């Protein structure tokens, strides 16, 4: 089963999508297996990180922008190579174990959709696989 979700994004941000991943698992009825969260974009990503203090994802975005700034030397005509780079560094999917109907996320972990080149309408998919 694949569940599709859409998201309207700002220029750059991290969006907590944990509740929609939980929703997909619930809808699937799968009790034990895995959930794959996948984003079909080249300037966005999927990651798992702290969900308690919003400053953590703000700091991640700040550090990604410092580490991967736009450069004069980039050749990509669209001018958004830094966003493509951040997408590849973060990755475009995560896999989460489902145990007894629940995602095995740590208490401080949340699933995030990461936008690096918005604003756009984005999609992501959750594929739930039974063991
Ligand atoms: Zn591009």
């Amino acid at each position: 089963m694949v569940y599709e979700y859409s998201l309207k994004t700002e220029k750059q941000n991290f969006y907590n999508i944990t509740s929609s991943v939980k929703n997909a698992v619930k809808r699937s009825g799968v009790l034990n297996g895995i959930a794959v969260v996948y984003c079909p974009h080249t300037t966005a990503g999927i990651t798992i990180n702290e969900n308690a203090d919003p400053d953590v994802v703000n700091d991640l975005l700040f550090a990604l922008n410092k580490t991967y700034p736009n450069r004069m030397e980039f050749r990509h005509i669209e001018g958004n190579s830094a966003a493509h780079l951040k997408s590849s560094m973060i990755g475009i999917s995560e896999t989460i174990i489902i145990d007894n109907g629940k995602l095995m996320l740590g208490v401080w972990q949340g699933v995030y959709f990461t936008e690096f080149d918005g604003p756009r309408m984005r999609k992501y998919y959750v594929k739930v696989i039974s063991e």
Side-chain angles (χ1 to χ4, degrees), residues 6 12 28-29 35 41 48 55 58 60 69 72-73 80 84 88 96 101 108 110 115 119:
S6 53
Q12 289 196 324
S28 75
H41 302 293
I48 294 175
D55 281 340
N58 288 337
L60 290 179
M72 293 278 292
E73 295 86 349
N80 62 351
H84 288 291
S88 278
I96 305 151
W108 304 115
E115 174 63 77

Side-chain angles (χ1 to χ4, degrees), residues 12 14 56-67:
Q12 289 196 324
F14 281 52
V56 171
V57 291
N58 288 337
D59 290 351
L60 290 179
L61 193 52
F62 171 80
L64 283 165
N65 285 329
K66 284 287 180 193
T67 308

Side-chain angles (χ1 to χ4, degrees), residues 53-109:
D53 180 357
D55 281 340
V56 171
V57 291
N58 288 337
D59 290 351
L60 290 179
L61 193 52
F62 171 80
L64 283 165
N65 285 329
K66 284 287 180 193
T67 308
Y68 306 112
N70 267 314
R71 294 193 173 275
M72 293 278 292
E73 295 86 349
F74 286 160
R75 294 166 57 172
H76 176 43
I77 194 88
E78 197 184 6
N80 62 351
S81 284
H84 288 291
L85 186 52
K86 283 176 264 190
S87 171
S88 278
M89 293 303 102
I90 287 289
I92 47 80
S93 72
E94 288 286 354
T95 305
I96 305 151
I97 299 167
I98 304 161
D99 183 63
N100 204 20
K102 291 205 158 54
L103 295 172
M104 288 188 75
L105 289 169
V107 68
W108 304 115
Q109 286 184 316

Side-chain angles (χ1 to χ4, degrees), residues 7-11 15 113 115 117-122:
L7 181 66
K8 186 166 174 22
T9 63
E10 302 149 71
K11 188 174 191 308
Y15 299 90
F113 183 100
E115 174 63 77
D117 193 32
R120 297 181 194 235
M121 278 304 297
R122 298 292 205 176

